[in-house]
Amino acid sequence: MFRTALRNVLAHKARLLMTVLAVMLGVAFVSGTLVFTNTISNAYQNSSAKGFDQVDVAVEPDYQESKGDQVGKPTELTQELVDKSAKADGAASAIGVVNGFTAIADKDGKLIGGGFQSQGGNYWGDKDPRYPLKEGTAPHGANQVAIDSATAERAGYEVGDTVRISVDGPVLSPEITGIFTTDDGNVAAGGSLALFDTATAQTLFGKTGTYDQIDVKAASGTSQTALKAALDKALPADLVETTTGRQLADDQAEMISASMAGLKQGLLVFAGIALFVGTFIIANTFTMLVAQRTKELALLRAVGASRRQVTRSVLIEAFVVGTVAGVTGLVAGIGIGAGLRSLMGTLGATVPDGPLIVSGGTVATALAVGVLITMLAAWLPGRRAARIPPVAAMSSVHAQATTKSLVLRNTLGALFSGAGVAVVLAATTMEGSDGQAPMGLGAVLLIIGVFILTPLLSRPLIAAAAPVLRIFGTAGKLARQNSVRNPRRTAATASALMIGLTLITGMTVMAGSLQKSIDKMASSAIRADYVVSMANGNQLSPDVAKELARVDDVTEISPMRNAPSRIGGETEYLTGVNGTSFGKLTDLKVDDGSFEVGGTQVVVDADRAEQRGWKAGSSFTVSYEDGEKQKLTVAGVYEGNEFFSGVLLDNATLTPHVSDAADMMVMVKTSDGATSATKDRLEKALGTNPAIKVQSKQDLSDDIAQMFTLMLNMLYGLLAMAVIVAVLGVINTLAMSVFERSQEIGMLRAIGLDRKGIKRMVRLESLVISLFGGVLGIGLGVFFGWAAGELLGTKMPTYELVLPWTRMGLFLLLAAAVGVLAALWPARRASRLNMLSAIKSE
């Protein structure tokens, strides 16, 4: 039976090629994802580990937890603690570290490193062992800076140049006195690093006289563990925490792995979708192959082969196909992993250097996925073939499904579909995250149910196309009949395309609806002409609001400032605003009381008010960050949203109690409204700072649209794999169908249907099957998009369903294009059949 199975594989090379391709694409996606994420993770981990070469033990401030009315905050690392660390037993030296966000502009004024990886710090003395100088000297004073060599090379900076830098607001223009080398992971990943002398760095980062960390180097012969023990004795335990450099490197590696886990899981989900779609093709292929070899298998049964041997022969074929697909998919996946890494560089995302990682786990996973998916899909057709009695198989009595089996299938499909719809509808009535799991379960049940019912659905839906097909005469009529001749095969083929389009349509509906709702929220909640914020989401210096207030056109301005507090023994973040202007810059609906912010009068959002039992006129005592207490009165209760929520009070009341004042954003209203000239004046007032965004409501809307468009394009690219696999499925089905109908096609040719008619018939059949899958997919996608929107609507009052009719039309055209393209080769093959040979074939 083993030799028979191998001969069958070799005898049907062309038929199994599409199956191998379908499995190979899915395996390539899986292995490519593993290679890519492992390579990137390893590169970052190695780069990060190098950054701890100069740290044997790190001394960090201990965080004092919030207790009673006392707001928790970190302790301070003073120069005294640095000196004590340097004198500890086994310590060779100790360096006080100060760091924070620092944006560097290139010579064209554009931000280097994208902002999120732009860092600054302090250069320790005249010769800092962490940062060997490549050129120049160490920085001294507020007007000097040293930058990393990678940034200097990218931007074309040299020692002696003046560079534009921003820490948290207005632009600084220090002179570059030195260029240094570093193993810092952020720099290796495309970021930048600017170093000031220690006093300047402490002033710029709001750490006057203190440090963020103390890096201690061990003396020769002293281990990291021994040095840590010595520091624990020398330093006050209630003020600091000590960690070895090795532990820091391990923690960083674990954090990098965790951050890559989300990307890996996301990519593997799409790989799983491609494999799921591929499973339909494999099952379809083996079903047709087994059906075509029914008499052959029956003869094997007649000469003594058992049912188990027949099933085993089919599974052996699947094993061979799966192994070939797994190996080729692994090779293709390695190429995909390398390509994705190169693509990141092309898109401007710098990745640290490192080897391509192809682990044993990746190899085993690729082979296991290829073999198991193929054998699982082939098991049912093999089992079904083995159960056919030899005599019935030789007389083809088995060919038609029994009424009992059809009733059972349709009943099962109806139950799954009904349960799926019921669970999804029930999930839409739940609150936020509570409904996510039920909705996911309902979606799976419904997709399974629709797949089971697809043979039943195919007849009425395809029959609906009959009037259009009549236009094509005999070829159209034959195409319709061929489409419903084997409903199960048509269903399996259409289902592969249906799944891909369900996901694409559902995500498009959700993205469009979310964008619309956020736009609506922004336009209804914000009256300000401009919102000013840092490009990387960091906090702004209070100087930004002061500079903007000096611009002639500015009529109203309000910085928004966050600070922790304690209310009723719980931590509560307060938001400071300009009480006299905030109401003119926003349009928040007040449910109770009035929107009066000033002195001890505050306003709170409805959720917070309900949670704490507050209403207009209620009073409560707040303990500020500095320990001072104050009694505040609720003037009004407003409806919160994604932009504004919590307790709002006047900055004049809040700021005196804040140790390091900084703003989340600044809202600005001008006399001329949102015009390009006004925007230019505001940007110039801030020194045309590349790290600061001045955005109108339209800019905010465009940013949101760009974010959703980027996300959708990425999803479309990933889901394209599933669509490609679906195309292979249509090609496979048509090719097998043409082979099965060789005699029929020969007869059609003999009675007068020309080659063009044969081609037209096969193309129309493919088009009908693809459009059938497209209609089902778009219908399910709209349903799932609506359901997910209903769930989101519980947390987003402005949510409204938006049906992207244009895109859905394009998706239907995509399904039609799939049908036309997939039919090219099978139609050509059918038209070239020799009519006499075809008529004589069995």
Side-chain angles (χ1 to χ4, degrees):
M1 293 303 292
F2 181 76
R3 288 196 298 271
T4 302
L6 288 180
R7 279 199 298 270
N8 281 325
V9 171
L10 296 175
H12 303 105
K13 301 184 193 72
R15 299 185 204 174
L16 293 171
L17 176 62
M18 296 299 173
T19 304
V20 171
L21 283 173
V23 182
M24 185 200 77
L25 284 171
V27 172
F29 207 156
V30 172
S31 54
T33 294
L34 295 175
V35 169
F36 170 66
T37 52
N38 289 342
T39 297
I40 299 300
S41 180
N42 181 73
Y44 276 116
Q45 287 175 14
N46 290 342
S47 175
S48 175
K50 289 179 182 177
F52 295 109
D53 287 347
Q54 296 297 322
V55 184
D56 287 317
V57 177
V59 180
E60 299 173 303
D62 189 15
Y63 187 82
Q64 304 297 314
E65 294 183 0
S66 299
K67 293 180 181 178
D69 293 331
Q70 185 64 43
V71 177
K73 56 184 178 181
T75 56
E76 294 183 338
L77 299 180
T78 61
Q79 184 62 43
E80 180 185 358
L81 291 175
V82 176
D83 296 337
K84 283 185 177 182
S85 299
K87 294 175 182 177
D89 292 340
S93 62
I95 294 175
V97 178
V98 184
N99 52 48
F101 168 74
T102 303
I104 303 177
D106 61 19
K107 292 185 176 181
D108 295 325
K110 295 180 180 178
L111 184 65
I112 297 174
F116 293 96
Q117 295 165 328
S118 301
Q119 295 295 315
N122 66 313
Y123 194 92
W124 189 256
D126 292 322
K127 191 175 182 181
D128 193 327
R130 300 172 299 167
Y131 309 111
L133 284 170
K134 185 178 179 182
E135 300 176 44
T137 59
H140 291 286
N143 294 318
Q144 294 187 354
V145 70
I147 64 173
D148 67 273
S149 56
T151 298
E153 184 177 348
R154 273 188 290 165
Y157 283 127
E158 298 178 354
V159 171
D161 289 345
T162 298
V163 62
R164 299 173 72 243
I165 287 177
S166 173
V167 173
D168 59 1
V171 174
L172 308 173
S173 300
E175 177 190 349
I176 299 174
T177 62
I179 295 174
F180 59 87
T181 59
T182 178
D183 290 322
D184 186 278
N186 284 321
V187 174
S192 61
L193 181 60
L195 300 178
F196 309 89
D197 67 29
T198 299
T200 301
Q202 288 175 324
T203 302
L204 289 174
F205 301 131
K207 309 286 173 56
T208 305
T210 63
Y211 302 93
D212 293 301
Q213 184 174 302
I214 301 171
D215 291 346
V216 186
K217 188 72 177 171
S220 179
T222 303
S223 68
Q224 290 186 356
T225 306
L227 177 59
K228 180 181 183 302
L231 287 167
D232 287 339
K233 290 181 181 179
L235 303 176
D238 60 332
L239 295 180
V240 301
E241 291 182 348
T242 58
T243 312
T244 63
R246 188 177 300 107
Q247 183 62 49
L248 286 173
D250 291 343
D251 291 345
Q252 185 76 4
E254 187 176 341
M255 187 170 65
I256 291 170
S257 295
S259 65
M260 295 300 296
L263 174 63
K264 182 186 291 187
Q265 289 173 2
L267 291 173
L268 287 176
V269 164
F270 289 98
I273 292 168
L275 285 170
F276 184 58
V277 173
T279 302
F280 290 117
I281 300 172
I282 300 163
N284 215 10
T285 301
F286 276 93
T287 298
M288 288 186 284
L289 286 174
V290 169
Q292 290 171 10
R293 288 166 36 214
T294 302
K295 290 186 178 180
E296 174 190 328
L297 294 175
L299 183 60
L300 289 173
R301 290 287 313 282
V303 297
S306 65
R307 288 184 177 181
R308 188 172 297 177
Q309 285 178 311
V310 170
T311 304
R312 194 181 302 148
S313 72
V314 176
L315 291 178
I316 290 171
E317 290 182 50
F319 176 80
V320 173
V321 171
T323 303
V324 172
V327 172
T328 53
L330 174 62
V331 174
I334 294 171
I336 289 173
L340 286 173
R341 178 174 172 171
S342 300
L343 181 62
M344 288 187 70
T346 304
L347 296 175
T350 306
V351 179
D353 293 331
L356 199 66
I357 304 299
V358 184
S359 65
T362 300
V363 175
T365 301
L367 294 176
V369 167
V371 172
L372 289 177
I373 289 292
T374 309
M375 292 186 70
L376 183 65
W379 175 75
L380 190 59
R383 184 171 176 270
R384 189 183 298 133
R387 295 179 66 180
I388 300 171
V391 175
M394 288 181 180
S395 60
S396 299
V397 174
H398 68 288
Q400 297 295 324
T402 63
T403 303
K404 181 180 178 181
S405 69
L406 291 174
V407 170
L408 179 63
R409 179 185 180 114
N410 294 337
T411 303
L412 193 63
L415 290 174
F416 269 97
S417 299
V421 170
V423 174
V424 168
L425 292 177
T428 60
T429 63
M430 299 180 183
E431 290 289 329
S433 57
D434 294 339
Q436 291 178 3
M439 185 163 290
L441 174 63
V444 171
L445 290 173
L446 180 55
I447 287 176
I448 292 173
V450 170
F451 169 67
I452 296 173
L453 285 175
T454 306
L456 179 65
L457 297 173
S458 64
R459 290 187 178 276
L461 288 178
I462 291 175
V468 178
L469 292 174
R470 287 196 193 100
I471 299 172
F472 299 95
T474 303
K477 183 179 180 181
L478 290 170
R480 184 182 66 80
Q481 291 174 348
N482 290 334
S483 300
V484 295
R485 176 180 296 181
N486 192 330
R488 290 187 177 182
R489 183 189 304 164
T490 297
T493 306
S495 295
L497 188 60
M498 176 193 77
I499 292 169
L501 286 178
T502 295
L503 294 168
I504 290 174
T505 305
M507 289 174 180
T508 303
V509 169
M510 282 187 62
S513 301
L514 279 172
Q515 181 183 328
K516 178 73 173 178
S517 62
I518 294 174
D519 285 350
K520 186 177 178 182
M521 184 188 299
S523 61
S524 62
I526 299 176
R527 287 182 183 174
D529 294 319
Y530 294 99
V531 174
V532 181
S533 61
M534 292 293 284
N536 69 334
N538 275 19
Q539 293 186 321
L540 290 161
S541 165
D543 293 338
V544 171
K546 293 176 183 177
E547 293 292 336
L548 292 170
R550 294 191 184 102
V551 179
D552 292 337
D553 294 341
V554 172
T555 57
E556 303 290 345
I557 187 168
S558 176
M560 292 186 64
R561 187 168 299 165
N562 255 7
S565 71
R566 298 283 286 177
I567 300 175
E570 297 179 0
T571 299
E572 183 78 55
Y573 275 85
L574 307 175
T575 301
V577 299
N578 186 335
T580 58
S581 298
F582 192 73
K584 301 173 186 176
L585 296 166
T586 58
D587 192 15
L588 298 175
K589 184 180 178 183
V590 178
D591 295 331
D592 183 22
S594 60
F595 202 92
E596 295 180 13
V597 179
T600 59
Q601 298 283 319
V602 303
V603 293
V604 298
D605 69 89
D607 290 342
R608 202 68 42 91
E610 183 180 357
Q611 179 185 350
R612 292 189 176 272
W614 292 338
K615 59 183 179 179
S618 298
S619 296
F620 60 91
T621 301
V622 60
S623 294
Y624 294 109
E625 184 180 358
D626 61 357
E628 293 289 328
K629 295 183 180 180
Q630 188 174 31
K631 190 174 183 180
L632 302 177
T633 302
V634 177
V637 178
Y638 66 93
E639 291 185 7
N641 54 48
E642 298 295 320
F643 293 96
F644 308 108
S645 63
V647 180
L648 306 180
L649 73 163
D650 194 79
N651 271 323
T653 305
L654 176 65
T655 303
H657 304 288
V658 178
S659 59
D660 185 19
D663 300 325
M664 298 179 292
M665 64 181 183
V666 179
M667 292 188 294
V668 180
K669 195 169 185 63
T670 62
S671 56
D672 294 336
T675 66
S676 57
T678 303
K679 183 176 180 179
D680 287 341
R681 282 195 291 274
L682 295 177
E683 289 177 340
K684 286 177 181 177
L686 299 173
T688 316
N689 193 328
I692 295 180
K693 296 189 296 185
V694 179
Q695 295 179 293
S696 65
K697 286 193 284 188
Q698 185 59 50
D699 294 332
L700 289 171
S701 178
D702 292 343
D703 266 7
I704 294 167
Q706 185 178 8
M707 178 183 69
F708 280 113
T709 301
L710 178 63
M711 178 189 71
L712 273 179
N713 288 340
M714 290 175 61
L715 293 174
Y716 288 162
L718 293 169
L719 287 170
M721 184 70 70
V723 175
I724 291 171
V725 174
V727 171
L728 293 175
V730 178
I731 295 173
N732 213 13
T733 297
L734 289 173
M736 302 291 273
S737 179
V738 167
F739 178 83
E740 279 186 358
R741 304 201 315 262
S742 295
Q743 191 176 53
E744 175 189 321
I745 291 171
M747 289 295 294
L748 290 171
R749 288 291 317 282
I751 61 176
L753 191 62
D754 59 10
R755 288 186 174 182
K756 286 185 179 180
I758 295 293
K759 284 183 179 180
R760 190 178 298 119
M761 176 187 72
V762 176
R763 287 171 185 164
L764 289 173
E765 179 183 349
S766 175
L767 184 63
V768 167
I769 293 173
S770 297
L771 286 175
F772 170 52
V775 169
L776 285 180
I778 292 171
L780 283 174
V782 169
F783 176 71
F784 290 139
W786 166 81
E790 289 294 302
L791 196 60
L792 286 170
T794 60
K795 294 293 184 182
M796 191 177 291
T798 57
Y799 184 88
E800 64 175 280
L801 180 68
V802 175
L803 292 180
W805 294 106
T806 303
R807 291 207 176 190
M808 288 193 294
L810 289 174
F811 296 156
L812 201 59
L813 287 176
L814 172 65
V818 165
V820 172
L821 291 173
L824 291 177
W825 178 65
R828 185 169 179 270
R829 183 184 177 194
S831 67
R832 291 192 159 199
L833 285 175
N834 183 291
M835 67 179 76
L836 294 178
S837 299
I839 291 171
K840 289 190 294 181
S841 65
E842 294 184 5

